[in-house]
Amino acid sequence: MEEPSINYDLTFMSFSRKIKSMRVGSIKRSGIKKIAKPVLLLAVIKGIEDGVFTQNCFEYEQLARIYEEVFRKYAEIAKQTEYTPLYYPFYHLQTSDFWNLSLKNPHSARSCSTPSPGWLRNNVEYAYINPMLWDMLQQKDYRNRLAQFIVEEKINTATARSRSIMRMLLNWLVAI
């Protein structure tokens, strides 16, 4: 019996919408959007591309090395003056319905208010993504398309709101 074929275009559209609407925090002083969650997704894509992740499970320590490299690559573009440690997006990306944590003990506390590397080491075995997203990311063209989409929609636009606030402030000052 033949396996049903996956419509990668529909899968791409579905997950790109989810990523576009993904909530991200802001840097309080500037209003610039944090890039930690998008960078985490780019790190997963890079890990798949590099053959580090061959199964849909991302261990914190393995992902940490890739995440740091990817964060530094995009930090200047997005005007990120402070490094956001992996444990924040690794934990908080659960608010998106495509990122999940596999707990070591099903009776572990499902949530904590402030994640830490210690809490993750003690309670989380690995993270995994929606199986349809995982399948799509096995296709090089779709991996590249999704990475480009994330950079365009979440990294390159991280400073857009702060620039518009600055423009409004400058216009107000000029008007005075």
Side-chain angles (χ1 to χ4, degrees), residues 18-19 21-23 37 41 91-100 128:
K18 291 176 185 205
I19 290 167
S21 67
M22 176 176 66
R23 294 180 61 210
K37 287 179 181 178
L41 294 174
Y91 178 80
H92 289 295
L93 194 54
Q94 292 179 94
T95 59
S96 302
D97 68 354
F98 53 84
W99 181 264
N100 302 284
Y128 60 97

Side-chain angles (χ1 to χ4, degrees), residues 74-176:
Y74 291 106
E76 184 152 336
I77 294 169
K79 307 291 187 230
Q80 306 289 296
T81 56
E82 297 173 15
Y83 174 74
T84 303
L86 174 61
Y87 55 88
Y88 286 113
F90 192 89
Y91 178 80
H92 289 295
L93 194 54
Q94 292 179 94
T95 59
S96 302
D97 68 354
F98 53 84
W99 181 264
N100 302 284
L101 299 179
S102 176
L103 298 177
K104 290 181 178 180
N105 179 346
H107 304 296
S108 295
R110 188 80 182 136
S111 64
C112 65
S113 58
T114 306
S116 69
W119 187 90
L120 291 171
R121 272 192 291 281
N122 293 332
N123 294 288
V124 177
E125 194 169 349
Y126 58 86
Y128 60 97
I129 56 177
N130 179 291
M132 289 177 66
L133 177 58
W134 171 259
D135 289 342
M136 184 191 77
L137 291 177
Q138 302 314 296
Q139 310 302 313
K140 185 177 181 63
D141 289 345
Y142 286 94
R143 248 190 335 264
N144 292 341
R145 280 180 62 190
L146 193 61
Q148 182 178 0
F149 176 84
I150 293 168
V151 169
E152 289 172 2
E153 292 294 326
K154 292 295 192 177
I155 305 290
N156 292 344
T157 63
T159 61
R161 182 170 172 258
S162 68
R163 282 195 299 256
S164 64
I165 290 170
M166 289 296 286
R167 228 178 267 120
M168 287 185 333
L169 180 61
L170 285 173
N171 288 338
W172 181 75
L173 287 172
V174 168
I176 295 178

